[in-house]
Amino acid sequence: MARHFLTGAELTRDELLALLDRAIELKRDRLASDALAGKSIGLIFQKPSTRTRLSFEAGVFELGGHPIILRPDEMQMERGESIRDTALVLSRHVQAFGIRTHADVIVEELARYATVPVFNMLTAGHHPCQALADLMTLRETFGALDGLVLTYVGDGNNVARSLAIVGAIAGVEVRVASPEGYALEPVAGARLFEDPVEAVDGAHAVYTDVWVSMGDEATADDRRRALASYRVDDALLDLAAPEVVALHDLPAHAGEEITAEVLYGDRQRIWEQAENRRHAQKALLELLLR
Ligand code: CP
Ligand code: NVA
């Protein structure tokens, strides 16, 4: 049975902590592993990407493997080839593959029929690879993760859900502050708030993401109105723990969900977080292909 990574819930606590430590090792020496020598990895992008593509393509290369980027307009899926048949054929040519797509059922169905590991590079519901890099960044900053408080401020979306799921496995207290209508459902014990001020009290990390995710463009105006007071700025950070760091998965919209002062300021770990995508995903690929 191939090992998949669709939501992050597949990892045990020990596996997750070992993966984060391995990622920190690989960051110190990016060519330390040739785990993918002689292996090809398929990377299907049905939505735009900067970081995920860069980090997976460079990461597979650094592990000695060959990344094959697949865009929808180049694939027969676009002309109606079934998800099942796509999974069967990919499994005959590559040793694992990832997909960035819309509905979660697409990645679930690929995983059902694939005989090689399938990993989620972002769906409407989840972004678990991002959460791995986020926890790695917290581990680098604070050491132990157990008992840390991470407050996510904004839309209760894929990024918030993955932080809740993967954070809980690591022992991080995840709080999510969102306006009515944009709240995350109760998931993985995350504490839900409406008031960001209340939610950041004692937080070691304050995290935000875009107000308008890919696929949500039709409701952009409503979202900007509803989320206007859910901006991460210096005043909000001042209400968190003294050692607080600001996180954002990017792309950022300075002046919307985060101010430029925070995005480029002293308390952010955002650009490190973007780099850590590659290291964390290399450790994930080692685990899935072990
Ligand atoms: N954070 C993230 O997944 O960025 P991209 O959309 O650029 O891949
Ligand atoms: N929530 C965002 C994350 C982008 C990396 C989206 O799904 O578009």
Side-chain angles (χ1 to χ4, degrees), residues 44-56:
I44 306 171
F45 286 97
Q46 298 186 324
K47 284 177 176 173
S49 167
T50 297
R51 278 143 291 272
T52 305
R53 176 176 175 173
L54 278 165
S55 55
F56 266 110

Side-chain angles (χ1 to χ4, degrees), residues 45 47-55 100 121-122 127 130 159 207 209 214 248-251 274 277 281:
F45 286 97
K47 284 177 176 173
S49 167
T50 297
R51 278 143 291 272
T52 305
R53 176 176 175 173
L54 278 165
S55 55
R100 165 168 288 203
M121 300 195 295
L122 183 147
H127 198 4
Q130 180 67 52
V159 168
Y207 195 122
D209 181 26
M214 293 179 275
H248 191 312
D249 53 297
L250 303 174
R277 293 291 306 276
Q281 289 157 192

Side-chain angles (χ1 to χ4, degrees), residues 2 4 39-46 66-72 74-77 81-100 106-107 109-119 121 289:
H4 302 306
K39 297 190 162 81
S40 296
I41 307 296
L43 301 167
I44 306 171
F45 286 97
Q46 298 186 324
H66 175 60
I68 304 177
I69 304 288
L70 297 153
R71 308 282 320 182
E74 299 164 351
M75 295 182 75
Q76 295 286 8
M77 246 195 309
E81 185 167 23
S82 71
I83 293 172
R84 178 179 186 162
D85 293 2
T86 303
L88 292 174
V89 173
L90 273 156
S91 300
R92 298 289 177 129
H93 291 286
V94 299
Q95 281 63 52
F97 64 91
I99 183 164
R100 165 168 288 203
I106 297 174
V107 60
E109 196 169 338
L110 282 168
R112 183 169 321 127
Y113 294 109
T115 57
V116 299
V118 175
F119 47 93
M121 300 195 295
L289 287 162

Side-chain angles (χ1 to χ4, degrees), residues 152-153 157-159 207-211 213 248-251 257:
Y152 174 98
V153 175
N157 62 13
N158 47 4
V159 168
Y207 195 122
T208 191
D209 181 26
V210 296
W211 290 343
S213 284
H248 191 312
D249 53 297
L250 303 174
E257 76 278 359

Side-chain angles (χ1 to χ4, degrees), residues 2-273:
R3 205 132 188 210
H4 302 306
F5 184 71
L6 307 191
T7 68
E10 300 85 357
L11 296 180
T12 66
R13 177 181 160 84
D14 287 349
E15 284 172 338
L16 174 59
L17 297 180
L19 184 157
L20 299 177
D21 285 344
R22 179 62 177 155
I24 290 170
E25 261 172 43
L26 291 171
K27 185 172 184 174
R28 270 189 230 116
D29 181 1
R30 68 185 178 87
L31 299 180
S33 169
D34 60 359
L36 296 187
K39 297 190 162 81
S40 296
I41 307 296
L43 301 167
I44 306 171
F45 286 97
Q46 298 186 324
K47 284 177 176 173
S49 167
T50 297
R51 278 143 291 272
T52 305
R53 176 176 175 173
L54 278 165
S55 55
F56 266 110
E57 187 165 354
V60 168
F61 169 75
E62 288 178 358
L63 290 170
H66 175 60
I68 304 177
I69 304 288
L70 297 153
R71 308 282 320 182
D73 59 343
E74 299 164 351
M75 295 182 75
Q76 295 286 8
M77 246 195 309
E78 186 86 342
R79 297 179 55 250
E81 185 167 23
S82 71
I83 293 172
R84 178 179 186 162
D85 293 2
T86 303
L88 292 174
V89 173
L90 273 156
S91 300
R92 298 289 177 129
H93 291 286
V94 299
Q95 281 63 52
F97 64 91
I99 183 164
R100 165 168 288 203
T101 188
H102 300 274
D104 284 82
V105 292
I106 297 174
V107 60
E108 286 160 15
E109 196 169 338
L110 282 168
R112 183 169 321 127
Y113 294 109
T115 57
V116 299
V118 175
F119 47 93
N120 182 343
M121 300 195 295
L122 183 147
T123 51
H126 298 272
H127 198 4
C129 291
Q130 180 67 52
L132 296 180
D134 303 339
L135 292 184
M136 176 187 170
T137 308
L138 291 180
R139 178 137 178 78
E140 281 183 324
T141 307
F142 295 107
L145 294 176
D146 245 327
L148 287 182
V149 175
L150 179 151
T151 298
Y152 174 98
V153 175
D155 183 23
N157 62 13
N158 47 4
V159 168
R161 187 171 295 105
S162 289
L163 283 168
I165 293 170
V166 184
I169 299 171
V172 174
E173 177 182 327
V174 177
R175 304 178 187 163
V176 181
S178 317
E180 202 191 327
Y182 297 90
L184 187 66
E185 76 283 1
V187 56
R191 295 181 59 197
L192 307 183
F193 294 77
E194 199 170 330
D195 182 2
V197 168
E198 198 187 322
V200 300
D201 183 44
H204 303 92
V206 174
Y207 195 122
T208 191
D209 181 26
V210 296
W211 290 343
V212 184
S213 284
M214 293 179 275
D216 290 338
E217 291 78 6
T219 55
D221 290 345
D222 292 344
R223 290 170 166 277
R224 288 200 179 93
R225 254 192 308 276
L227 287 152
S229 60
Y230 288 74
R231 176 172 301 120
V232 172
D233 58 14
D234 278 312
L236 189 65
L237 294 182
D238 289 344
L239 301 174
E243 66 271 39
V244 69
V245 295
L247 298 178
H248 191 312
D249 53 297
L250 303 174
H253 300 76
E256 288 197 9
E257 76 278 359
I258 192 165
T259 60
E261 288 73 22
V262 173
L263 181 60
Y264 305 110
D266 291 341
R267 291 190 280 190
Q268 59 75 25
R269 299 283 291 160
I270 294 169
W271 307 101
E272 210 60 35
Q273 210 188 334

